[in-house]
Amino acid sequence: MLKKIALLALATMITACVSPIPLQEQSAKAEYTTKEPVLISVIDQRKRVQEGKEKNFIGKAHVSFGIPVDWHVNQVLATEPGDKEKNLAQFLQSRLTHGLNETGWNTTAVDLDEVPSDEAIKALMEENNTEKMISLVLNEWYFSVNLNWVSAFNFDTNTDILVYSLEEGKLLAKNIAERDVVDEQASESPQNNILRAYKAQLDQIVNDEEVRNAVSFDQ
């Protein structure tokens, strides 16, 4: 019971003083548009989840005395209706599709637990009347933040980007793996700092030159 109370208090501290940034500032922004329909999926294959962490696990916060505490989507990232019920893959899908659709795309999200076969991919695109599909496979998506002082936190990502065409099959398989050191802003909450880091990574993925060339219908 005490642990639950402590975690509730911690979750309250995350957002108590600073309003969350608006949805537009959390969502991916592409520097190009395509009018043709595109299917979007984010597939969680993180080793941490395979070893027992919940699918809504997102990282660790170091609290008093440096004690690490697990953070989850519902505690930290939930700013919109329905967010608290999302796992990490679904949360990222929502920020991808919302952001892309706001910039003129026509996207639909599909929940997948694993990378489907080529035949299943084609069936999914036909079922959803889409010509292209983008899948992000999360091998790592993890941060570790210290709440005892304002400094910087590590944000580790390892993502396979797969782009498919209904007619030609797989067009691209690319991996982006890196560690970002995110400078925290004292005027922002940990929540906003993390949401901005997520958006920056999604922006980098969708605007990657090879991804753009594979997705664009005029190539």
Side-chain angles (χ1 to χ4, degrees):
M1 183 66 177
L2 289 176
K3 183 178 180 182
K4 290 183 179 179
I5 293 173
L7 290 175
L8 178 60
L10 178 62
T12 302
M13 288 169 55
I14 296 169
T15 57
C17 300
V18 181
S19 298
I21 56 176
L23 180 59
Q24 180 181 353
E25 294 179 26
Q26 303 175 30
S27 303
K29 183 176 182 180
E31 297 171 353
Y32 58 103
T33 59
T34 174
K35 298 297 183 182
E36 300 296 332
V38 178
L39 198 59
I40 301 286
S41 70
V42 179
I43 303 168
D44 193 346
Q45 290 191 349
R46 291 175 293 165
K47 184 177 180 181
R48 299 172 195 273
V49 171
Q50 294 171 353
E51 292 177 345
K53 292 293 187 185
E54 297 178 8
K55 288 185 177 181
N56 65 352
F57 170 78
I58 56 174
K60 286 189 179 291
H62 295 266
V63 295
S64 299
F65 307 108
I67 299 171
V69 176
D70 285 2
W71 270 2
H72 302 86
V73 171
N74 57 302
Q75 295 169 307
V76 184
L77 304 181
T79 65
E80 302 298 317
D83 280 350
K84 289 187 177 181
E85 288 72 46
K86 291 182 172 70
N87 56 41
L88 177 61
Q90 292 167 337
F91 178 86
L92 294 176
Q93 278 177 186
S94 72
R95 271 40 179 186
L96 273 169
T97 55
H98 180 269
L100 294 176
N101 289 343
E102 284 292 299
T103 55
W105 290 47
N106 177 11
T107 70
T108 302
V110 58
D111 291 345
L112 297 173
D113 291 325
E114 59 185 10
V115 179
S117 65
D118 291 345
E119 293 77 12
I121 290 288
K122 184 173 183 179
L124 277 171
M125 286 192 283
E126 290 176 340
E127 180 182 343
N128 288 275
N129 296 315
T130 57
E131 297 293 329
K132 296 249 177 112
M133 178 173 176
I134 305 172
S135 288
L136 305 186
V137 182
L138 307 182
N139 303 307
E140 180 66 291
W141 195 280
Y142 172 84
F143 67 82
S144 177
V145 60
N146 195 319
L147 299 182
N148 293 296
W149 57 79
V150 176
S151 56
F153 64 90
N154 293 330
F155 178 37
D156 296 326
T157 56
N158 183 319
T159 310
D160 294 329
I161 303 111
L162 307 174
V163 181
Y164 302 89
S165 163
L166 180 62
E167 298 301 325
E168 301 175 59
K170 186 182 294 182
L171 299 177
L172 177 69
K174 176 171 184 170
N175 177 268
I176 295 179
E178 58 191 17
R179 164 169 285 187
D180 292 327
V181 179
V182 181
D183 290 326
E184 297 182 70
Q185 302 177 40
S187 61
E188 290 282 21
S189 64
Q191 177 189 56
N192 285 343
N193 286 323
I194 293 165
L195 288 169
R196 292 186 192 282
Y198 276 26
K199 171 180 166 53
Q201 188 65 22
L202 293 176
D203 286 351
Q204 178 182 343
I205 290 170
V206 298
N207 291 304
D208 176 85
E209 184 177 1
E210 291 180 85
V211 173
R212 177 172 182 161
N213 288 340
V215 172
S216 297
F217 285 83
D218 56 355
Q219 297 297 318

